[in-house]
Amino acid sequence: MVVDSAARHADDAGLFVNVLEDCCASPDPELHRIEIEKILPLFATVTTSEALLRTL
């Protein structure tokens, strides 16, 4: 829930949010999948660390 809360706060503050799906986890793999596929894309760009590094 820390990543979710931080991403929401950043989005509310007007920041562009990237969430690196391979750099966060959940004790429950199904909750992680739902968060990454359904919830976080509503207010963040979900990507991987490799993809982000390619853009830098």
Side-chain angles (χ1 to χ4, degrees):
M1 301 301 295
V2 173
V3 172
D4 181 276
S5 296
R8 287 173 187 257
H9 181 71
D11 182 61
D12 288 346
L15 300 172
F16 180 79
V17 181
N18 277 311
V19 174
L20 306 179
E21 70 172 286
D22 56 330
C23 293
C24 57
S26 171
D28 182 336
E30 182 63 11
L31 289 177
H32 178 75
R33 184 192 66 77
I34 292 168
E35 186 76 25
I36 292 296
E37 293 178 6
K38 304 287 185 184
I39 298 170
L40 286 168
L42 297 173
F43 49 88
T45 299
V46 179
T47 190
T48 63
S49 56
E50 183 180 325
L52 180 66
L53 289 173
R54 281 195 307 264
T55 66
L56 295 178

